Amino acid sequence: MEQIVQLNSNAKLSEHFTLGEMTKSSSHPEVYNIPSHEAIANLKRVCGWLEVLRKRYNERYNACHLEHHPSVMSSGVERSALPLGLSKTSHEISPRASLGRDDKGGALGRDDKEKPIIINSGYRSPQLNKKIGGVPTSNHLTGCAVDIRVEDMEQLIRYAAILLEYADETNQQFDELLIERNRYGAIWLHFAVRARDNRRKVALIIT
């Protein structure tokens, strides 16, 4: 009998990011998507950057942003009808994306001080990458990339600025920082860090 490999979804890759959220697929949950040890190590490296992004964004913008952002309702759910919950090339769509969850899975409201970074897509197995139409050379295949959900272009630009600033301050390199937009008008931030041979590619991608 073939051994069934199960994923420990609750395993922490860093303080605020779990293996489950870095391997989920909303459109194809049935597809095998178990990362190798090397891919998990790559995901941990990316999560190190995401922790910095989460901390700095909350320190600088979150209190004001939660209070005044027009797309936030009292229940903490995004009002926008844009299909923001999708991955890079798959057009995985969730029409009403949640504003976020706290570290215990509870909904975030106006009074919460910290907002999470929401991941649309992280690691993709070859099977999943093919299913959603990802490119054969995608950094997602090695666990080196994440697609980050954003509320609007303002938040996306602030995310990108923080990541670029951190790269300059620490003299670390990343492989890709891409502002991406699909034919439905949805936008997200694609960010990738490799163990080596990083290209520091910054670009606008319209698919």
Side-chain angles (χ1 to χ4, degrees), residues 35-65:
S36 65
H37 290 296
E38 182 179 0
I40 291 175
N42 290 336
L43 286 170
K44 288 181 177 180
R45 184 181 303 106
V46 175
C47 286
W49 288 72
L50 295 179
E51 289 289 353
V52 173
L53 174 60
R54 185 185 193 277
K55 182 175 185 294
R56 294 192 180 188
Y57 181 82
N58 277 290
E59 287 175 348
R60 297 178 187 180
Y61 306 116
N62 186 43
C64 176
H65 196 67

Side-chain angles (χ1 to χ4, degrees), residues 25 47 63 67 80 82 84 87 97 107 117 151 163 166 171 188 205:
S25 172
C47 286
E67 184 66 24
S80 172
L82 282 177
L84 294 179
S87 58
I117 301 297
E151 295 168 2
L163 291 167
Y166 179 65
N171 199 29
W188 62 95
I205 306 293

Side-chain angles (χ1 to χ4, degrees), residues 69-101:
H69 197 283
S71 71
V72 177
M73 300 187 296
S74 59
S75 63
V77 177
E78 184 177 332
R79 192 186 299 272
S80 172
L82 282 177
L84 294 179
L86 45 87
S87 58
K88 180 179 175 185
T89 55
S90 66
H91 308 312
E92 296 185 57
I93 300 171
S94 60
R96 294 173 63 85
S98 169
L99 178 66
R101 295 173 291 106

Side-chain angles (χ1 to χ4, degrees), residues 8-9 23 34 38 43 96 104-106 111 116 120 126 133 146 160 175 197-198 203:
N8 182 3
S9 298
T23 55
I34 307 296
E38 182 179 0
L43 286 170
R96 294 173 63 85
K104 297 180 181 179
D111 297 329
N120 283 335
V146 291
D175 191 55
D197 301 324
N198 288 290

Side-chain angles (χ1 to χ4, degrees), residues 150-165:
V150 296
E151 295 168 2
D152 50 30
M153 184 60 75
E154 178 181 323
Q155 186 182 59
L156 191 155
I157 290 172
R158 285 176 169 173
Y159 278 0
I162 290 171
L163 291 167
L164 287 169
E165 174 187 77

